[in-house]
Every structure is written in C-alpha cells, then in structure tokens.
Amino acid sequence: MSDSTTPPASTPVTVSKIGYVGFETLDVDRMVDYYTKVLDFVLVERTNGEAFLTTGFDHHAVVIQQGQTKARSFVGYEVWGDLADAQRRLRDAGYAVERRSDLAPSIPAVLVLEEPGTGVPIHLYDAQASSGVEGYTPLRPTKLGHVAAFTPDLKPSQDFYQDLLGFKWSDTIGDFFVFLRCNADHHAANFMASKTREGMHHIAYEMRDLNHLQTMLDHLAKNNYRLEWGPGRHGAGHNIFTYHQDPDGNDIELFTQIDMIHDESKGYFEPRPWHEDFPQYPKTWEVDLIAVNSWGPINPDKLVH
Ligand SMILES: [Fe+2]
C-alpha cells in the first residue's frame, strides 16, 4: 500500500538520496583541515579515527577514516519507507543483508549489503540525526551530489542499482560510463568500467549557482588549490564542472546546473537551452567533446578506463 509520501515498491528498495561517502586517509587531521578550511564543511563529530563532516541538515555527508588511503570505503543511501520492510524485501529477493547499529553515531540502524563487482559496502538507512548546523555561509557546497567509481563491468552494477535499489538509468557514454539517478538529479551514482583501475573516480559536491562556484574557486586559489580540469560543461548531465584534487589526490568535482527530471512519467530532463536534444531523454552518447565537455577541451586522463 502506498500513500503520497511512499512510492510504489516496484523494487525491493527505493533509494531517495545519496547520504554520505566514507573513505580512508593516512592523515585524518590534514583531510579535516581541507574539508573545514577549504571546502567549508562543518566537523560535527570526531571519534576514534573517524571524522564526520556535513554541509547542512544531516549529521554527515562525509566520513573520513584513519587507514591506508583506500578510496570509497562505503556509500550511504537514504531510503523511502520503513527499514524493516526494506530488509524483508531484500531477503525475499535473495540478498544477504546485515543490520548494524554501530556504524554511525547519528544512525540507529543501517542495512549493509555488498556492491557487486567492487565489494564496497552499501549502507541503507531511513534517516540521520540532525547535524545542528544552521545558517548561511557564502562558501559551503549545498550537498554531496554524487560519487563516481570504477567497476570491472557496468552491467552487474547497473542491475544492482536499478533492479534492487530503485535507481533509474540517466545516460551512458560509449560503453563504459553509466549515470544513475535516485531522485530528480541526473545522477547520484556513476560507474566507469575498468579492468585496470579501482576505487573512487571522483566525489562531487553541488554549488548553488555559477556565482557560488566562482566564489569557491577564488577561495581554492587563495589556499593554493588549482583546477586540474574545467570550468566546462558535461554533455551527459549538462552540469557545469570543475575538478581539483584534495590533499590525498582524490578528484573533487564542484558542479552546478545538473540536469533534473521532475516528472518521471514524461521521462525527459527539464528542457534547457544548452541541451543537444529537445526534449533531452536519457541516451547513449558518442565519446566526443559534446558528451564530455561541450566547452572543450576533453581531458584524456578523465576518460581512461
Ligand atoms: Fe561528476
């Protein structure tokens, strides 16, 4: 039975948003410094070897752990509806699920399942405690937008996210880069097929608009962080992007103006004058400037797979 706040359960789980990403570093203090002083996140809680950082209402969007610089230790997704129902439906679908209550100070119950191909633990939860952070700052990103990762094969990843977690297909570039959405935003998860690379491709944070992005870029420059690519406009997703590296060398994207689907029954992205197609439906893109950076140039390193 569904009501206005619960979508029909056509898949065992319906993810409503990306909540957080966790990754390891050799130097937690250095990464906390970068996140708080450069990206203007708020440090909400620090426990044994773990730092929880947020951009706003939720307790955390980033978890930094002491470790061996293993990128993308886990990803957390918030789900529609009751977590016990989700657990039952996942088991009915034949998936091993572990229920944990000790993974984050702000989340009493988390379902953990393994992402196919990568083995990365995926956390599912129904709500986080509030961070207590209020107010406006000129710099801080609005939210964690997406996490892009390498995977050996696209299909198992795509099947897992679409058939089990309720994601929808947004775009594919060539036969190696897929974009998946769990709400109006063009993608919350994207995967690049690679037999030689693994881990995180990049983490992306959303900026309000171009002025917000520019303010942050000036702030990055003042702190000696230089762009490695952009500003440009992606074709798939049409977000204006910039990329720089955090102190560990993880690629960090700051973006704005990402495509959105507000009416799933229509199936196309809200029309924008910079689109190539009118209307713009999810599609498989040729690998060229239009798909990757319509403002030019292509960054060959970003296309390695
Ligand atoms: Fe991205």
Side-chain angles (χ1 to χ4, degrees), residues 146 148 187 190 202 204 234 239 243 253:
H146 55 270
H187 57 283
N190 40 339
H202 64 272
H234 288 314
N239 37 320
Y243 292 86
E253 177 187 1

Side-chain angles (χ1 to χ4, degrees), residues 145-148 177 179 187 190 201-205 234 236 239 241-243 253-255 258:
H146 55 270
V147 178
F177 207 173
F179 300 80
H187 57 283
N190 40 339
H201 187 272
H202 64 272
I203 308 177
Y205 300 113
H234 288 314
N239 37 320
F241 66 84
T242 67
Y243 292 86
E253 177 187 1
L254 301 173
F255 71 92
I258 199 162

Side-chain angles (χ1 to χ4, degrees), residues 37 39 119 124 146 150 158 179 193 276:
K37 293 176 183 163
L39 290 188
L124 304 175
H146 55 270
F150 293 104
Q158 209 171 336
F179 300 80
E276 289 76 28

